Amino acid sequence: MSSVPADLLRHPIVQAPMAGGVSVPRLAAAVSEAGGLGFLAAGYKTADGMYQEIKQLRGLTARPFGVNLFLPQPETADPAAVGVYAHQLAGEASWYETELGDPDCGRDDGYDAKLAVLLDNPVPAVSFHFGVPAREVLESLRRVGTFTLVTATTAEEARAVERAGADAVIAQGVEAGGHQGTHRDVPEADGSGLGLLCLVAQVRESVGIPVVAAGGIMRGGQIAAVLAAGAAAAQLGTAFLATPESGAHSLHKQALTNPLFVRTELTRAFSGRPARGLVNRFLREHGPYAPAAYPDVHHLTAPLRKAAAKAGDAQGLALWAGQGHRMARELPAGQLVEVLAAELAAARTALSAGGAR
């Protein structure tokens, strides 16, 4: 079975890149120092902002780490639908005493500028979300010594990732918190995503490159399960969200285990693209009416989310979380990696003992 290079990680544990200020340098450094692979999220940042975080992270650890990029999105949104949604959100803007954002703030997330930085100042690993980068991009990163990973949510997408020349594919199950990394945003497919174990098995039989499993993983026993299914490593996001090193808002961290938030749901309410979050008032009231319009809706709702955070109102925040959120542990990130690694070892021992009977 193909594997992720051993010099990138000592344990098969990858910290998911969570955009929006969660995956900060101190979190990535703590994970990498403990033997996992920490990641910075470049999404929604400027190229210089990304570069400054890389510099900061390098000052915290000499261990390998990764940076995640969002692919530019095609202009498929219906401006009229975005306008209708903006009208619906007018009451939210009034309630939070703020203005709605400009939905036409840009669609490429500074992609080319960020790539230029990563080619001039290579990092050990780069992952991509929301599509497949051009073969030339992947080849240029390989030439500077960067290991590349691309998210896929189906076996078909995984094959496209391999054809493009990526070094590994991240198989993201529907259980995952935050945005689904589908290559095309097709509203008719909402809610049809595969569970992680089924997806890993299908992807493993479809490609020859290493598979990193992502989606709802919170315990070492689950890591053992995806490794047994054919994955080379596991990527965990929500598990690291509650750590003290995480840059998540305190309201977000508390909500993970707050009995008030009993379930998660895929929604377009905050960004216009399917993303899994804790069900709160904003999601319930606006999710059914949000158009397929990313990043237009993300820009539109950004001031609302910022105002809700300032007001201490978790009911107006995008509380991204995977289905395993109630299993979150408020451990330091490095200690969490060690606990997960110990749980993984115990699970493997138990499996071996069971097979020896």
Side-chain angles (χ1 to χ4, degrees), residues 152 154-163 169 183 203 206-207 209:
T154 66
E156 180 184 8
E157 289 181 348
R159 287 190 289 270
V161 170
E162 184 175 47
R163 285 195 300 270
V169 58
H183 295 180
V203 170
S206 300
V207 301
I209 56 177

Side-chain angles (χ1 to χ4, degrees), residues 218-239:
M218 305 292 287
R219 296 287 188 267
Q222 292 171 290
I223 299 174
V226 296
L227 295 183
Q235 179 173 279
L236 294 75
T238 306

